[in-house]
């Protein structure tokens, strides 16, 4: 059997719509499609944090949602919570809390995190109950599907899917090779 | 796009008829999907990690498949009881068909049975309203083929789809 494998490309480039850390002028853009209830994403999150520190201004990082809600029953609402916090300017703080508490993602937990971040709770709960961010979540999900995201976490380095695992060293090697 | 040389039935071939168990006491036939589009996802086995990702992914994209007028079935050599447990554990909302007896018969017909491992290959077929294969694809066994190829195939098929 002859096999030609071409690594898929990110079909929707990072733009103003994305949640981004790091300068827009950074030479390397790093995108993650992730699920807050996925244990592998939890592990990868710790690698990403270190990678961000080491790479500094050479790296721009964007996170997009890819909740597999049928196998991770809390993942979708957790993603909605991140977006609801994002609507109040606190996406990354909530993102951090969700990954730090992957086994505590029930509605009460989410409201607790929103309270800890000092969010407008009424607005936060209204957003969750009304699925105010469902459109954006589906947009993220489908952009992943179209880009060869088949499970989580999936990373893209300067638009090309990274197929090599997510240990800090492996990620750093892939990112630095773009410098 | 991944390309794999293979014996999978190509585009333009009439899809071979089949009748397979979807549950211990129910069967599904190709003819049941007449007038609709059908996605057939052959995979080696229930429970193995890649299949799990692949089926979980398709489970999430069912609304998009339906919008494009297509139903989806998964097919492996596992028994209907095994499929039932697998589907329940993964909360799958589409039928899993048991190509169990005679083992791998349908996979053979579609040219995607791997005799060495005694399981089907990881293969996708998109069948049109008239029962003709319009796209087929075989992935390396450990590689999740994702859904972009299926969506592109469905979108390229002419005529307004009738929602499944």
């Amino acid at each position: 059997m002859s096999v030609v494998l071409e690594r898929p490309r990110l079909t929707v480039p990072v733009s103003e719509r994305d949640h981004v850390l790091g300068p827009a002028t950074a030479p390397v853009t790093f995108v993650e499609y992730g699920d807050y209830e996925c244990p592998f994403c939890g592990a990868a999150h710790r690698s990403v944090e270190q990678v961000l520190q080491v790479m500094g201004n050479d790296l721009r990082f964007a996170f997009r949602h890819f909740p597999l809600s049928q196998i991770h029953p809390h993942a979708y609402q957790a993603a909605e919570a991140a977006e609801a916090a994002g609507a109040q300017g606190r996406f990354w703080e909530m993102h951090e809390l969700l990954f730090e508490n992957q086994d505590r993602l029930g509605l009460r937990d989410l409201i607790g995190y929103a309270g800890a971040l000092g969010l407008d709770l009424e607005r936060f709960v209204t957003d969750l109950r009304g699925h105010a961010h469902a459109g954006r979540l589906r947009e993220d999900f489908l952009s992943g599907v179209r880009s060869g995201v088949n499970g989580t976490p999936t990373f893209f380095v300067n638009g090309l899917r990274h197929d090599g695992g997510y240990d800090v060293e492996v990620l750093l090697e892939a990112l630095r090779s773009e410098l | 796009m991944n390309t794999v040389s293979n014996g999978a039935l190509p585009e333009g071939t009439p899809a071979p008829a089949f009748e397979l168990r979807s549950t211990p006491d129910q069967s599904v036939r190709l003819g049941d999907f007449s007038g609709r589009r059908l996605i057939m996802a052959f995979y080696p086995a229930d429970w193995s990690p890649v299949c799990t990702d692949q089926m979980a992914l398709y489970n999430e994209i069912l609304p998009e498949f339906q919008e494009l007028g297509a139903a989806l079935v998964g097919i492996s050599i596992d028994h209907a009881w095994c499929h039932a447990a697998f589907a329940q554990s993964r909360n799958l909302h589409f039928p899993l068909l048991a190509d169990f007896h005679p083992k791998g018969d349908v996979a053979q017909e579609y040219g995607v049975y791997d005799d060495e491992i005694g399981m089907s290959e990881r293969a996708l077929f998109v069948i049109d309203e008239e029962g003709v294969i319009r796209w087929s694809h075989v992935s390396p066994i450990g590689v999740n083929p994702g859904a972009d190829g299926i969506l592109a195939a469905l979108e390229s098929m002419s005529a307004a789809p009738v929602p499944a």
Side-chain angles (χ1 to χ4, degrees):
Chain A
M1 199 156 69
S2 76
V3 180
V4 179
L5 286 177
E6 203 175 285
R7 277 194 285 159
R9 291 193 160 273
L10 189 65
T11 53
V12 179
V14 172
S15 69
E16 293 77 29
R17 71 171 290 288
D18 284 293
H19 300 291
V20 171
L21 291 174
T25 52
V28 187
T29 294
F30 187 38
V31 176
E32 175 180 1
Y33 282 86
D35 170 323
Y36 291 116
E37 202 175 353
C38 159
F40 303 103
C41 295
H45 171 68
R46 289 183 282 279
S47 296
V48 170
E49 281 186 318
Q50 291 185 54
V51 161
L52 279 165
Q53 279 195 350
V54 174
M55 295 287 292
N57 284 337
D58 284 337
L59 193 67
R60 173 171 69 145
F61 174 68
F63 182 88
R64 291 176 178 170
H65 303 289
F66 203 80
L68 291 175
S69 47
Q70 305 293 338
I71 46 174
H72 296 142
H74 304 98
Y76 189 84
Q77 195 167 47
E80 288 187 308
E83 287 304 321
Q88 299 188 42
R90 308 295 291 277
F91 175 83
W92 290 107
E93 290 90 336
M94 183 62 86
H95 175 85
E96 177 71 27
L97 281 170
L98 297 170
F99 273 133
E100 291 301 318
N101 297 281
Q102 285 198 293
D103 52 354
R104 289 184 294 277
L105 298 176
L107 182 58
R108 274 167 187 248
D109 302 313
L110 300 177
I111 293 170
Y113 307 144
L117 294 176
L119 300 185
D120 172 344
L121 286 184
E122 200 180 314
R123 182 177 165 199
F124 179 82
V125 172
T126 304
D127 277 7
L128 291 195
R129 292 240 154 92
H131 304 293
H133 306 287
R136 188 205 167 91
L137 261 58
R138 200 67 193 158
E139 227 175 79
D140 274 10
F141 193 87
L142 291 176
S143 78
V145 168
R146 295 299 189 151
S147 307
V149 175
N150 304 332
T152 55
T154 296
F155 292 98
F156 292 83
V157 177
N158 279 351
L160 203 59
R161 193 175 74 186
H162 167 77
D163 286 345
Y166 40 81
D167 289 344
V168 177
E169 296 71 25
V170 174
L171 288 178
L172 279 175
E173 196 187 327
L175 296 167
R176 281 175 170 150
S177 73
E178 296 288 318
L179 289 175
Chain B
M1 181 57 61
N2 305 343
T3 56
V4 175
S5 75
N6 60 75
L9 292 181
E11 185 185 329
T13 317
F18 61 80
E19 178 167 359
L20 292 173
R21 296 266 178 205
S22 58
T23 68
D25 53 9
Q26 283 179 300
S27 291
V28 165
R29 294 176 306 128
L30 177 64
D32 295 343
F33 300 95
S34 170
R36 286 193 290 162
R37 296 170 176 179
L38 177 66
I39 303 155
M40 294 174 70
F42 287 89
Y43 61 100
D46 290 341
W47 306 107
S48 84
V50 176
C51 306
T52 308
D53 276 347
Q54 189 187 357
M55 295 303 133
L57 180 69
Y58 293 172
N59 206 32
E60 302 285 344
I61 309 167
L62 280 178
E64 276 69 30
F65 291 157
Q66 281 162 6
E67 264 172 42
L68 291 163
L72 167 69
V73 293
I75 304 179
S76 78
I77 47 87
D78 296 283
H79 192 275
W81 288 109
C82 184
H83 277 335
F86 181 58
Q88 189 183 20
S89 109
R90 298 296 189 271
N91 209 16
L92 299 179
H93 299 299
F94 56 89
L96 299 179
L97 308 186
D99 195 8
F100 179 77
H101 183 67
K103 186 186 170 205
D105 210 29
V106 174
Q108 290 274 14
E109 292 265 331
Y110 280 76
V112 294
Y113 190 70
D114 185 331
D115 248 328
E116 274 181 40
I117 56 171
M119 299 188 283
S120 85
E121 297 183 272
R122 195 175 296 287
L124 298 168
F125 293 87
V126 173
I127 294 160
D128 71 11
E129 294 84 341
E130 278 78 50
V132 176
I133 295 170
R134 299 291 295 271
W135 183 74
S136 66
H137 175 83
V138 177
S139 321
I141 204 131
V143 174
N144 180 346
D148 47 340
I150 298 173
L151 291 169
L154 289 170
E155 282 165 356
S156 74
M157 289 161 67
S158 55
V162 183

